[in-house]
Amino acid sequence: MEEKPFPAWSWPVDQCLKEYQVKLEKGLSTYQVEKRRERYGLNELEKEKGKPLWRLVLEQFDDMLVKILLGAAFISFVRAYLYQDETGDSWFEAYVEPLVILLILILNAIVGVWQESNAEKALEALKEMQGESAKVFRDGYLVPDLPARELVPGDIVELRVGDKVPADMRVATLKSSTLRVEQSSLTGESMPVTKSTDFLAADDCELQAKENMVFAGTTIVNGSCICIVVNTGMCTEIGNIQKQIHDASLEESDTPLKKKLDEFGNRLTTAIGTVCLVVWAANYKYFLSWEVVDGWPSNVRFSFEKCTYYFKIAVTLAVAAIPEGLPAVITTCLALGTKKMAQKNAIVRKLPSVETLGCTTVICSDKTGTLTTNQMSVSEFFTLGGKTTACRIFGVQGTTYDPKDGGILDWNCYNMDANLLLLAEICAICNDAGVFCDGRLFKATGLPTEAALKVLVEKMGVPDSKARSKIRDAQIVSSYLIDRNTFKLGCCDWWMKRSKRVATLEFDRVRKSMGVIVREPNGSNRLLVKGAVESLLERSTYVQLTDGSTVPIDESCRQLLLLRHLEMSSKGLRCLGLAYKDDLGELSGYYAETHPAHKKLLDPSCYSSIESDLVFVGVVGLRDPPREEVHKAVNDCRRAGIKIMVITGDNKSTAEAVCREIQLFSDGENLKGSSFTGKEFMALSSEQQIEIVAKDGGKVFSRAEPSHKQDIVRMLKEMGEVVAMTGDGVNDAPALKLADVGIAMGITGTEVAKEASDMVLADDNFNTIVSAVAEGRSIYNNMKAFIRYMISSNVGEVISIFLTAVLGIPECLIPVQLLWVNLVTDGPPATALGFNPADVDIMQKPPRKSNDALISSWVFFRYMVIGSYVGIATVGIFIVWYTQASFLGINIVSDGHTLVELSQLRNWGECSAWTNFTVSPFKAGNRLITFSDPCEYFTVGKVKAMTLSLSVLVAIEMFNSLNALSEDNSLIKMPPWRNPWLLVAMSVSFGLHSLILYVPFLADIFGIVPLSLNEWLLVILLSAPVILIDEVLKFVGRRRRQRTKLKAA
């Protein structure tokens, strides 16, 4: 039975120490450590066993099309082995067909194995997040750098600013007045979280609520503390995420395209098997005969030679029916798609996800870092005007830590008034953060809110005109430097030199503020304070006006300030109040730790009294702003019929405010039924959950834990939705792995998220997803075009062989020729169809359903009509060459070949019994075809007729590729030059066909001869009508659809 973990967060520190049998000042003994290591193991994440190479290789053959090709290769190999001597073929000629098929399959397997072996790196990236060492108390001594992997539950660990937390731990004591932890990558919270030692009443509470716990992989950004290790290794929250990533990888389902191709493969297998059997059985009279005596068959005669000959025809039929080039063309098309997407900043890690994006119906997006910039910025601030009843509000533009990104609206305050001067001074000096540039991205050190305040100071400027021009010149010079990392906050530096900081009153949860004592240029001390607006207003007795005068704060003024604060909060802004105090009593002359009043600063309980009778200056509103492009992307998704669901670890009000701002919800919209916390949603019944997510419109799930994200993604998939999940944090990784398409942020995303994803956004731009969806839809349409082209060509080949068998005439196409057509001649046009331009309205149509048929009944009918023409033309020219002197006014017998009756051609197997049957030699290129036996005219002599059949097949398929440019539009509306690559590909295919015709060595391998100009003219005349036939079918299809729309209307 699994041991239930101890809920350390819900017990006082003394009880936790008792549970782990440890003392804070001594730590565990060596004996205790050894016993616990035996029980809990090392503090590291387990490495999942990868699949062995042999299994990876075998899995590449677990595909219906591949199995069909394997079967075809095996039968071809057996046939070549059995009949090589009989046919007199060289070794190469006999085995070229099975060898080519096997080569295709081996290449396919190599690509697949390489792709899979590179896919499972998310777990390694997780390991890198764990701390490497820790300061630990053992046997009464402090071990300064114990390897983190050696920690066990019960260890006493000291954490300081900048430390990476090595295990899940209960905070025991604070060594500073405040402790803040950056845990956004684990929980999705946009702000560092303040931690305390107080226990929580609830045994079962969400991760974000565990304010007395620090978690492995997070970072201490402010303060220091002593903690008790409660969970290590796989039992930590990061360990749970690893398990979830692994479980999600086991749940990975086939992509919509793979499902369709497998379904298509199954149908193809059935169809091929049936047709082959019918063709073989239909010719039974040629190899099996009997007489009926007294109602019973007797004198049964069986010709093994003829039986195997017709079996060979059946195998030829199978080779014709299988689109050998299809897997290669699909891979090429997807690879082209990845290249196009990379140009649009979407880096695809797994090929099939290119197409899956095209049928995405739901985008589940993280908020922090995906819809927003994950960079705090000041949005607006206000101060009082010339009287207590008037406020001045300033709007601030810019969404990053770059001081040059935006500015203050209508800002003309270089001669700043007293209020604005104090606001700038407080923001610059009552601040421990910094901003640096790492090449192209500005980043914060310390608290993001404080970094945003420093950026505001840079946008405000300084009152000293000389200093202002000096700072501006320095900024201009720095913009030309090669080393962009050299970056200074000139305005903040000016304030800090002007007013020297002499003491700090650290933030704590009781007074909710931070203060600093500074020495002003006049030599007096001043207290600068920033903190929660309500808390500062309670401790303020005065307000400052624009002229620098201070007046007592009355109730109407207090209500005005609170009303402005409420307005800012309702916009999703995080508000900070700013205040100061000049009369510091015994701290007025404070200068250093040697001052008598220093004792007062050592006692945090005195801070509230020091920060009383304040003068209130103003309020600054900050936020993690939405990305500029998100609003347009949301509207594009709405038009494209794609639902957006925001799943975030942040709090409910912030999430709702951001969703309103990006217009996922309208301003006045009631969010009942559209906005839930993770816990609220999971508490509903499964029927209610399904009903909520099935409704149209946006949804937002806040305070969501990793398991909630997974459950929502899983539920959507079970409902038949195709889910794209975006995210950047460790907490997003399991859901990214589970989703049909996992999309990670490239700049702000963690390595864990990137490795678990199918696609990475190089620019972290939500709009890139919409571009990628459009590209995915375009790729699917193009894939349908080349599948339509290849299958209609293959149907033509099947019908030609079927007609050959039914009519009893000699084979007009041999397997090696069919293989050449399917692989080489068809390949370039099919690949070029992948370059078809996207439809103009591609993002104004709803996503296709994942269960929509790849081949509809109408498209299948079109295949059959086109295929029938291909088959009739291919067999027809073979018969015409043997039986007609001229056709369509073209002389065919100029080469001197002998004409025969159709009945003779159909019974050519009985040639040896014919009397007075003679044939003349005929010319084929520079070759004279002669016969030792007249019956060879139907085997050796069919070389010219076979060449004509092959050439007609190739020419028709080239013309048919033009038909595939559009499923419905005429060539008049979609002319061939819209896709110049197709014209190039057709030229390449004709060139390759000419190569095997006119190079003697190749002509011998493929059993063909050169054609004359007259014969080429006949080939073109018989091939071109395929365009006219499909134009008529497209016209009928358009009319049918119009009638359907009219009926529906």
Side-chain angles (χ1 to χ4, degrees):
M1 187 176 169
E2 198 173 314
E3 187 180 330
K4 192 178 178 185
F6 174 67
W9 61 88
S10 65
W11 289 91
V13 174
D14 291 345
Q15 189 66 38
C16 293
L17 291 169
K18 194 175 176 183
E19 173 72 21
Y20 289 105
Q21 299 168 10
V22 66
K23 290 182 180 177
L24 272 181
E25 61 279 5
K26 287 192 174 182
L28 295 173
S29 67
T30 306
Y31 175 75
Q32 284 176 306
V33 169
E34 286 174 3
K35 283 289 178 188
R36 291 183 191 193
R37 188 164 298 132
E38 284 174 19
R39 183 177 172 187
Y40 298 107
L42 290 169
N43 176 35
E44 59 185 10
L45 300 180
E46 288 173 8
K47 188 172 181 181
E48 298 290 340
K49 285 185 180 177
K51 289 178 187 172
L53 183 64
W54 63 268
R55 177 163 291 181
L56 282 175
V57 171
L58 278 181
E59 281 179 3
Q60 306 314 309
F61 293 90
D62 186 22
D63 179 281
M64 190 46 69
L65 274 174
V66 171
K67 286 174 185 171
I68 295 170
L69 285 175
L70 267 176
F74 176 74
I75 293 168
S76 298
F77 184 83
V78 170
R79 195 191 63 194
Y81 180 77
L82 292 175
Y83 302 112
Q84 183 186 351
D85 296 336
E86 186 185 309
T87 55
D89 292 340
S90 69
W91 184 91
F92 179 77
E93 288 172 314
Y95 289 101
V96 67
E97 185 187 313
L99 288 174
V100 168
I101 296 176
L102 283 174
L103 185 63
I104 293 166
L105 295 177
I106 289 165
L107 286 171
N108 194 46
I110 289 169
V111 171
V113 168
W114 175 79
Q115 187 179 318
E116 275 209 39
S117 58
N118 280 292
E120 295 301 319
K121 290 185 182 172
L123 311 182
E124 290 303 312
L126 265 176
K127 282 194 164 189
E128 288 175 20
M129 289 196 65
Q130 290 182 293
E132 291 179 4
S133 63
K135 300 176 188 74
V136 185
F137 286 93
R138 291 263 177 96
D139 294 316
Y141 297 98
L142 178 68
V143 183
D145 54 356
L146 183 85
R149 65 197 295 269
E150 293 183 17
L151 288 176
V152 294
D155 262 325
I156 305 299
V157 177
E158 182 180 341
L159 293 173
R160 294 180 184 176
V161 175
D163 285 350
K164 195 172 269 187
V165 180
D168 288 2
M169 300 191 271
R170 169 73 157 90
V171 181
T173 59
L174 297 183
K175 293 186 77 177
S176 57
S177 59
T178 185
L179 177 72
R180 286 197 188 99
V181 180
E182 170 59 61
Q183 57 184 43
S184 64
S185 66
L186 189 67
T187 63
E189 292 161 294
S190 54
M191 296 295 304
V193 179
T194 304
K195 298 292 183 179
S196 73
T197 58
D198 303 335
F199 70 92
L200 304 170
D203 269 9
D204 179 26
C205 61
E206 59 201 14
L207 209 58
Q208 294 92 330
K210 295 176 182 175
E211 293 179 353
N212 54 18
M213 295 284 293
V214 290
F215 302 104
T218 60
T219 308
I220 308 296
V221 293
N222 181 244
S224 57
C225 64
I226 304 289
C227 301
I228 310 161
V229 174
V230 294
N231 286 315
T232 58
M234 294 301 291
C235 295
T236 60
E237 290 300 330
I238 207 169
N240 289 336
I241 286 174
Q242 167 157 333
K243 286 178 201 158
Q244 289 166 358
I245 292 173
H246 178 65
D247 293 345
S249 68
L250 297 177
E251 285 184 48
E252 282 186 316
S253 55
D254 290 339
T255 64
L257 179 68
K258 186 165 189 317
K259 286 175 187 170
K260 283 195 177 64
L261 289 175
D262 279 350
E263 184 186 322
F264 169 69
N266 288 327
R267 288 183 179 176
L268 191 64
T269 310
T270 309
I272 291 169
T274 306
V275 174
C276 289
L277 194 63
V278 167
V279 167
W280 187 61
N283 290 281
Y284 76 92
K285 60 184 178 182
Y286 296 111
F287 57 81
L288 184 65
S289 61
W290 62 86
E291 294 171 6
V292 179
V293 179
D294 299 329
W296 290 92
S298 65
N299 197 19
V300 176
R301 291 182 295 278
F302 175 74
S303 168
F304 183 74
E305 186 186 338
K306 287 282 176 70
C307 175
T308 51
Y309 171 77
Y310 285 103
F311 178 71
K312 274 169 69 180
I313 289 180
V315 170
T316 306
L317 189 70
V319 173
I322 298 165
E324 286 90 352
L326 189 57
V329 174
I330 286 172
T331 304
T332 307
C333 183
L334 292 175
L336 290 170
T338 63
K339 193 175 178 185
K340 282 185 193 174
M341 285 187 181
Q343 289 165 355
K344 295 178 182 178
N345 290 315
I347 299 157
V348 178
R349 295 182 67 248
K350 294 174 185 174
L351 271 185
S353 58
V354 175
E355 181 276 333
T356 310
L357 265 171
C359 56
T360 297
T361 57
V362 180
I363 296 176
C364 291
S365 176
D366 181 36
K367 179 189 73 71
T368 309
T370 308
L371 295 174
T372 64
T373 61
N374 200 18
Q375 295 188 21
M376 294 299 285
S377 67
V378 175
S379 180
E380 62 181 68
F381 62 92
F382 76 83
T383 62
L384 283 176
K387 49 188 178 179
T388 58
T389 55
C391 277
R392 294 179 309 156
I393 302 170
F394 298 90
V396 185
Q397 292 179 322
T399 58
T400 66
Y401 294 127
D402 181 359
K404 294 194 281 293
D405 176 20
I408 303 168
L409 295 172
D410 303 321
W411 185 250
N412 192 19
C413 296
Y414 284 122
N415 299 317
M416 289 188 277
D417 60 49
N419 263 355
L420 295 173
L421 284 171
L422 259 168
L423 187 138
E425 184 180 3
I426 297 166
C427 289
I429 305 170
C430 188
N431 196 321
D432 291 324
V435 175
F436 70 98
C437 178
D438 71 344
R440 59 174 179 151
L441 197 68
F442 285 82
K443 293 183 177 178
T445 56
L447 296 175
T449 45
E450 292 191 340
L453 294 178
K454 286 209 166 179
V455 172
L456 173 65
V457 174
E458 296 302 309
K459 289 177 180 177
M460 291 177 77
V462 293
D464 185 329
S465 58
K466 280 186 181 177
R468 193 160 58 237
S469 58
K470 196 175 176 183
I471 291 164
R472 189 166 56 246
D473 292 344
Q475 285 174 343
I476 292 167
V477 170
S478 70
S479 66
Y480 288 101
L481 290 174
I482 295 171
D483 181 14
R484 293 295 311 279
N485 294 351
T486 308
F487 171 75
K488 285 188 176 180
L489 296 170
C491 298
C492 291
D493 290 347
W494 183 86
W495 279 108
M496 290 171 85
K497 284 174 187 171
R498 176 187 173 276
S499 306
K500 192 184 174 192
R501 182 165 156 178
V502 293
T504 302
L505 283 68
E506 286 189 357
F507 175 92
D508 65 46
R509 295 162 65 89
V510 178
R511 68 187 213 286
K512 296 178 183 174
S513 62
M514 170 195 176
V516 293
I517 298 171
V518 296
R519 178 65 56 90
E520 291 291 306
N522 61 11
S524 65
N525 279 359
R526 173 178 278 174
L527 174 68
L528 307 177
V529 185
K530 76 170 191 300
V533 177
E534 300 95 326
S535 177
L536 255 60
L537 276 173
E538 280 175 18
R539 287 179 277 145
S540 296
T541 49
Y542 300 92
V543 288
Q544 181 168 288
L545 304 180
T546 49
D547 60 1
S549 61
T550 58
V551 294
I553 189 165
D554 57 19
E555 191 55 34
S556 62
C557 179
R558 194 183 299 274
Q559 289 307 315
L560 174 69
L561 293 170
L562 286 171
L563 181 66
R564 287 275 170 262
H565 170 232
L566 184 66
E567 284 175 7
M568 289 169 78
S569 298
S570 65
K571 295 177 191 173
L573 300 183
R574 182 173 184 221
C575 298
L576 284 175
L578 307 173
Y580 77 99
K581 181 180 178 180
D582 282 333
D583 182 12
L584 297 180
E586 59 185 305
L587 290 168
S588 294
Y590 182 85
Y591 54 87
E593 292 180 6
T594 54
H595 192 275
H598 182 64
K599 288 179 184 176
K600 203 170 184 182
L601 294 175
L602 292 175
D603 183 5
S605 64
C606 297
Y607 291 175
S608 291
S609 61
I610 298 169
E611 291 179 357
S612 59
D613 297 324
L614 298 171
V615 180
F616 196 82
V617 175
V619 176
V620 176
L622 307 100
R623 63 175 181 157
D624 177 10
R627 295 175 181 277
E628 289 176 10
E629 67 282 348
V630 169
H631 175 221
K632 179 183 176 296
V634 168
N635 284 333
D636 287 346
C637 286
R638 197 173 279 133
R639 278 199 300 273
I642 299 168
K643 287 195 281 190
I644 295 178
M645 295 186 184
V646 177
I647 310 175
T648 177
D650 219 337
N651 67 62
K652 197 171 185 177
S653 58
T654 307
E656 287 177 356
V658 168
C659 289
R660 286 190 195 278
E661 197 167 346
I662 63 172
Q663 294 197 352
L664 185 63
F665 305 124
S666 57
D667 285 341
E669 187 178 338
N670 182 0
L671 298 188
K672 188 180 178 183
S674 297
S675 175
F676 301 87
T677 64
K679 225 172 177 184
E680 285 169 358
F681 185 70
M682 289 305 154
L684 299 173
S685 67
S686 57
E687 292 79 11
Q688 288 173 308
Q689 290 175 349
I690 290 167
E691 188 184 338
I692 287 162
V693 296
K695 281 181 188 171
D696 288 338
K699 303 281 180 295
V700 59
F701 301 96
S702 46
R703 287 293 186 192
E705 294 185 23
S707 60
H708 296 156
K709 295 185 179 189
Q710 271 185 289
D711 290 341
I712 292 167
V713 170
R714 191 178 287 113
M715 184 190 307
L716 288 165
K717 286 180 75 175
E718 285 169 0
M719 289 166 64
E721 304 282 5
V722 178
V723 185
M725 170 80 194
T726 74
D728 61 347
V730 179
N731 58 326
D732 299 321
L736 287 173
K737 194 78 176 166
L738 184 63
D740 293 295
V741 185
I743 305 167
M745 302 294 119
I747 299 171
T748 56
T750 58
E751 282 305 308
V752 185
K754 289 177 195 174
E755 293 297 345
S757 68
D758 301 298
M759 191 172 97
V760 178
L761 302 183
D763 57 357
D764 283 16
N765 189 331
F766 187 82
N767 200 39
T768 303
I769 301 169
V770 182
S771 303
V773 169
E775 191 62 48
R777 290 185 174 189
S778 173
I779 286 166
Y780 181 75
N781 288 346
N782 293 347
M783 284 170 92
K784 274 181 78 175
F786 67 65
I787 289 170
R788 189 167 62 244
Y789 160 64
M790 292 188 90
I791 300 301
S792 60
S793 300
N794 280 69
V795 167
E797 292 168 19
V798 169
I799 289 173
S800 70
I801 294 161
F802 187 75
L803 287 173
T804 302
V806 168
L807 293 172
I809 62 175
E811 285 178 285
C812 56
L813 294 166
I814 57 173
V816 73
Q817 292 169 351
L818 290 170
L819 199 64
W820 172 263
V821 170
N822 287 351
L823 281 176
V824 184
T825 324
D826 283 358
T831 305
L833 287 168
F835 289 95
N836 277 355
D839 296 340
V840 183
D841 60 347
I842 199 158
M843 284 301 282
Q844 286 161 22
K845 298 174 182 173
R848 72 177 196 276
K849 290 175 184 171
S850 57
N851 58 354
D852 278 358
L854 190 66
I855 301 165
S856 66
S857 53
W858 170 248
V859 171
F860 179 72
F861 173 74
R862 274 174 58 185
Y863 285 173
M864 293 310 294
V865 173
I866 297 293
S868 298
Y869 180 75
V870 174
I872 290 165
T874 308
V875 174
I877 198 166
F878 187 89
I879 294 171
V880 163
W881 186 83
Y882 267 108
T883 61
Q884 304 296 317
S886 66
F887 189 73
L888 298 174
I890 297 168
N891 181 16
I892 303 172
V893 291
S894 57
D895 58 3
H897 74 270
T898 306
L899 295 179
V900 296
E901 297 292 326
L902 179 60
S903 58
Q904 288 179 303
L905 187 63
R906 291 190 63 187
N907 295 288
W908 66 276
E910 298 166 14
C911 166
S912 55
W914 298 343
T915 54
N916 303 322
F917 178 66
T918 58
V919 290
S920 309
F922 66 89
K923 208 170 179 190
N926 297 322
R927 229 173 111 194
L928 187 69
I929 310 294
T930 58
F931 314 100
S932 56
D933 177 358
C935 292
E936 286 181 358
Y937 188 49
F938 299 106
T939 52
V940 178
K942 70 175 181 177
V943 66
K944 174 66 77 70
M946 202 156 60
T947 304
L948 286 166
S949 284
L950 181 63
S951 299
V952 163
L953 181 63
V954 169
I956 286 185
E957 294 191 3
M958 292 308 100
F959 288 126
N960 194 27
S961 67
L962 296 175
N963 292 332
L965 270 169
S966 174
E967 189 169 345
D968 303 303
N969 292 324
S970 164
L971 277 172
I972 298 165
K973 197 172 179 182
M974 184 90 167
W977 49 87
R978 283 285 301 278
N979 184 354
W981 291 106
L982 182 59
L983 299 175
V984 171
M986 287 170 68
S987 306
V988 168
S989 288
F990 265 126
L992 289 168
H993 182 63
S994 301
L995 192 72
I996 64 167
L997 278 181
Y998 297 104
V999 174
F1001 163 68
L1002 294 173
D1004 288 343
I1005 289 175
F1006 288 97
I1008 51 178
V1009 290
L1011 295 179
S1012 66
L1013 198 61
N1014 259 7
E1015 287 160 347
W1016 268 117
L1017 185 60
L1018 181 63
V1019 166
I1020 299 301
L1021 284 174
L1022 269 172
S1023 306
V1026 77
I1027 292 176
L1028 186 63
I1029 294 167
D1030 205 46
E1031 284 292 303
V1032 172
L1033 289 169
K1034 283 180 181 179
F1035 176 75
V1036 172
R1038 289 195 296 272
R1039 292 291 298 272
R1040 280 176 79 245
R1041 200 159 35 260
Q1042 283 171 1
R1043 281 200 300 272
T1044 308
K1045 278 183 182 175
L1046 286 170
K1047 280 180 186 175

